Amino acid sequence: EDNGIAQSTPTRSTLSGDIDQRMTGFGLPCRRLEIPDALELAQIAQEETQEIRNGSGPRVLWIRSVRLGPHSKGDDTRPQEEIEQLRTQDPVERLMSRFSTRQCDQILESVQHQVEHAVASAESAPFPEAISSESLFGRDEQDGSQIWWGRTEPSLAPLDADEPDETSHAILEHEANRPLGKRLNAALHAILEGDVSTHVLGEDIVDPYGGAFKITNGLSSTFPERVHSTPISEAAIVGLSGGMALGGVTPIAEIMFGDFLGLAMDQLVNHLALFRTMYDRQVKIPAIIRTPMGGRRGYGPTHSQTLDGRFLGITGLRVVAPSSLHPVQTLLKHSLAHAFPTLWLENKRAYTERYRLDDDGLVDDFHVRHRDPDGAGWLVLSLSAFCDEEATLIGYGGMLAPMKEAAKLLLIEDEISVRILLPARLHPFDGQGLHRLCVPGEPVIAVEEGAAPYGFGSEIAALLAEQTPALPFARVGAVPTAIAASRTLEDQILPDADTIRATVLSRLKSV
C-alpha cells in the first residue's frame, strides 16, 4: 500500500526508482493498481490469489492510494488545496457512487449499529489485567504445562549429601568424551528424526559445508525436505521462524555469528517475543534461534563479541546458554516444549570442549551435581566435595573452562576451595535456586565473557542484594572495547583464570 507520503514527507523526495522494478529484480510479478475502490481491489486480488494457488509462486500488488488526513494528530503540513484535490480520488466515495442513496444509508446505519455494539461491549467489560513475568513463564493452563519458571523445587537435595548423586552421574556418563559441537549435532539429528514438524534453517547450513561450525553437518543429507538454506538476511531468518511457528511448524534457526543478531533485533524483540502476549496466549512460538557467541578464535571485532546481556530481560524471550557439560539434547527438547521462543547462545570455544569422567564419577577432578528445577539446568562443581568452600564462582557457557582452571589454581596455590555454579537458563533466571546453591555467607564472583557493566553479573548482584545485602560480591568481565583479532590483545581483553583468581583473593581479603 503506497499513499505517497511518510509521516509528513512525500515519498517522491526520499525514494529513488519504482517499486515494480525492485520486484522484478527478485523475479516477482508486480501489478500496479491506481487508487482502486474496494470492488476493483477484491476482483484483482482474487485473480492474483488464484495464480498463487495454481503454483506460480508469490506475487506483488502495488496499491497506489491517498491519505486524506494526518498520520498522527498535527503532522500534516500539506496545503489544504492539495488535500481537497485528493478527496476527489477518495476510494470510499467512489465505491458509494456504485450504490443508490438508500442503499448507502442502509449500509452506514448497519455499520453504525456494529460500532455502537462494540463500544457498549467494551465499556461493560472488566478492565484487563497486565500479564506479569510469572504469568508469562509460569503455569500456562492453555498449554497444560505444569512448569513454574523462576521457582526452585522444595525437595532440592543438599549438595554435601553423602549418598552418591546417581542422576548427575547418569547424565554426565551419557555425555562424556564427546565435544559439545558433536553432541549438538547429534541432538539436532535426534530431534528431526523424532518430530516431522521440525525444520532447520540458516545460512550455509546444508551439506557438504554443514554450517560455519559444522553443527548442522549431515542434516540436509538425512532430512533434505526439512533443512533449508536462507539468504544472507538475519532479519528474514528470524522473521520466517516466527511465521513458521505461528503456522504450526517448529523452526530451529541458525544465525552464523552472534554478532549478527543486531540485524534480527526487531524480529526478536518486537515480534517473536511479543506474539504470545499480544494474542492473549492463543498462539505458540516454539522457535529456537541458535547462534555462536564469544571470542578466543581470532575472528576480530565483528565476529567475537558476547552480546548476551542485550537479550536478557526481554519479556517473552527465553535465553539458554549451555556449557560443554550440559545435556544439550534434553535442553533443546525442553526449549521446544514451550510456547515461547528461545534464544540459544553457544560459545564458539566450547564447541570443541570435552570432559573426562573417571570411575569415581569425577569430571576432570571435580565433583559435579546436576540440579534442574523447572529446566534451569544448574550444574554445581567442587574440587572438595562441597566441603570447606570459601567462595562461589557463577558463570555460564564458555566460562566453564577458565573457572575450572581458576578453581584449581586457588586450591593448589592458595589452599582455597571454591564452588562453581553453572546455570543453563539465563532468562527467566532461577533466583531462588541461586540463593540455595551459593556457599552460605561467602563471597560470590560472577564471571562472563562480555563486558561486565549492565551484564549477567549485574543481575546476579541485584538478586543477591535483594536477599542477602551484606554478601560480598564482585564481577569479572571483558575489557569494554572491541574484540581484537590479535591473540595477544584478545587475551588481554577477555577474562581468564588469573583474573578470576585475583578477584576471589581480593574479595576474601575484604571479608
Side-chain angles (χ1 to χ4, degrees):
E1 294 181 29
D2 175 11
N3 62 20
I5 189 170
Q7 184 163 344
S8 64
T9 306
T11 54
R12 63 178 178 270
S13 66
T14 59
L15 183 66
S16 179
D18 291 322
I19 297 296
D20 52 356
Q21 292 179 1
R22 298 184 184 193
M23 297 302 108
T24 302
F26 285 97
L28 298 175
C30 180
R31 192 166 176 177
R32 174 172 171 165
L33 308 181
E34 288 291 340
I35 316 181
D37 67 27
L39 296 181
E40 292 173 329
L41 179 58
Q43 175 63 36
I44 294 170
Q46 187 176 27
E47 295 171 4
E48 295 295 300
T49 302
Q50 190 59 51
E51 288 292 327
I52 294 171
R53 289 175 175 161
N54 290 340
S56 68
R59 308 173 74 83
V60 177
L61 283 179
W62 177 13
I63 305 167
R64 297 274 296 163
S65 184
V66 295
R67 198 184 82 194
L68 302 178
H71 168 80
S72 180
K73 296 178 180 178
D75 53 15
D76 200 334
T77 59
R78 293 174 294 177
Q80 187 60 35
E81 56 269 22
E82 179 180 340
I83 295 177
E84 292 302 323
Q85 193 278 328
L86 291 174
R87 289 192 186 281
T88 63
Q89 305 175 64
D90 184 355
V92 176
E93 294 289 340
R94 288 166 48 205
L95 178 65
M96 292 177 66
S97 68
R98 293 173 177 260
F99 302 94
S100 67
T101 302
R102 180 182 177 185
Q103 288 175 314
C104 290
D105 289 342
Q106 290 175 336
I107 292 170
L108 292 173
E109 184 179 358
S110 173
V111 170
Q112 183 65 28
H113 284 315
Q114 292 180 51
V115 172
E116 291 172 354
H117 176 73
V119 171
S121 297
E123 289 180 338
S124 62
F127 283 101
E129 296 183 5
I131 301 177
S132 66
S133 296
E134 184 169 290
S135 297
L136 274 173
F137 290 114
R139 179 178 297 175
D140 195 331
E141 296 179 356
Q142 253 178 300
D143 283 347
S145 170
Q146 298 300 308
I147 292 173
W148 283 85
W149 291 110
R151 302 254 179 124
T152 303
E153 293 172 343
S155 59
L156 192 65
L159 291 171
D160 56 355
D162 293 331
E163 63 273 11
D165 188 338
E166 300 293 346
T167 301
S168 296
H169 187 273
I171 292 172
L172 293 167
E173 187 175 39
H174 182 265
E175 303 282 343
N177 298 318
R178 288 190 300 163
L180 176 62
K182 295 287 187 183
R183 291 192 284 118
L184 279 167
N185 178 265
L188 291 175
H189 272 88
I191 288 171
L192 286 170
E193 179 69 35
D195 184 359
V196 296
S197 71
T198 303
H199 289 241
V200 174
L201 62 153
E203 300 169 20
D204 297 307
I205 64 171
V206 301
D207 297 332
Y209 189 63
F213 295 92
K214 311 308 175 189
I215 307 302
T216 58
N217 188 39
L219 289 177
S220 63
S221 297
T222 308
F223 310 98
E225 301 300 319
R226 291 190 282 135
V227 179
H228 314 283
S229 276
T230 66
I232 303 175
S233 173
E234 286 71 23
I237 294 170
V238 176
L240 176 59
S241 298
M244 293 169 74
L246 285 170
V249 176
T250 304
I252 301 178
E254 176 175 297
I255 303 299
M256 187 181 289
F257 282 87
D259 311 67
F260 306 159
L261 279 176
L263 296 163
M265 181 68 85
D266 177 54
Q267 290 294 333
L268 275 172
V269 175
N270 292 323
H271 297 274
L272 271 68
L274 295 181
F275 282 154
R276 183 97 174 121
T277 310
M278 286 166 56
Y279 297 119
D280 196 23
R281 289 177 284 182
Q282 297 177 71
V283 300
K284 299 179 181 180
I285 312 295
I288 291 179
I289 311 299
R290 298 180 36 256
T291 191
M293 283 281 193
R296 295 191 169 93
R297 296 291 293 263
Y299 292 155
T302 61
H303 292 66
S304 306
Q305 299 173 90
T306 297
L307 303 176
D308 308 355
R310 307 299 181 269
F311 300 93
L312 302 181
I314 295 175
T315 300
L317 181 67
R318 301 171 71 251
V319 181
V320 172
S323 74
S324 56
L325 277 179
H326 279 97
V328 289
Q329 183 171 330
T330 300
L331 287 173
L332 279 169
K333 288 183 176 180
H334 197 278
S335 296
L336 292 173
H338 289 276
F340 292 91
T342 302
L343 178 61
W344 260 62
L345 305 174
E346 303 162 4
N347 186 269
K348 292 193 282 288
R349 194 183 188 194
Y351 280 149
T352 58
E353 289 179 359
R354 65 180 77 206
Y355 60 86
R356 175 179 53 85
L357 182 67
D358 65 22
D359 294 338
D360 296 324
L362 299 181
V363 174
D364 302 329
D365 300 322
F366 283 85
H367 297 264
V368 179
R369 295 290 182 265
H370 181 261
R371 296 290 184 266
D372 196 31
D374 317 327
W378 285 103
L379 290 175
V380 193
L381 289 75
S382 173
L383 288 167
S384 59
F386 309 105
C387 298
D388 302 319
E389 295 161 325
E390 299 181 56
T392 299
L393 301 177
I394 178 169
Y396 60 91
M399 296 315 296
L400 172 60
M403 286 196 296
K404 286 166 58 180
E405 184 181 349
K408 290 182 178 181
L409 286 171
L410 285 162
L411 188 62
I412 296 170
E413 302 291 339
D414 308 295
E415 297 184 353
I416 293 172
S417 178
V418 298
R419 177 176 298 184
I420 296 175
L421 302 186
L422 203 71
R425 195 186 70 224
L426 305 185
H427 182 253
F429 191 73
D430 179 18
Q432 294 190 20
L434 170 69
H435 287 284
R436 292 177 66 91
L437 296 173
C438 285
V439 179
E442 300 294 347
V444 176
I445 288 81
V447 183
E448 56 193 308
E449 188 167 324
Y454 308 102
F456 169 77
S458 300
E459 179 62 18
I460 298 300
L463 289 169
L464 292 172
E466 290 171 354
Q467 299 292 327
T468 317
L471 190 66
F473 178 83
R475 295 181 295 176
V476 175
V479 176
T481 185
I483 308 299
S486 160
R487 180 59 185 269
T488 303
L489 287 175
E490 194 178 43
D491 286 343
Q492 294 176 27
I493 293 168
L494 300 177
D496 58 15
D498 289 334
T499 310
I500 299 169
R501 175 192 174 196
T503 305
V504 171
L505 295 173
S506 172
R507 279 296 170 267
L508 284 173
K509 288 179 181 176
S510 67
V511 175

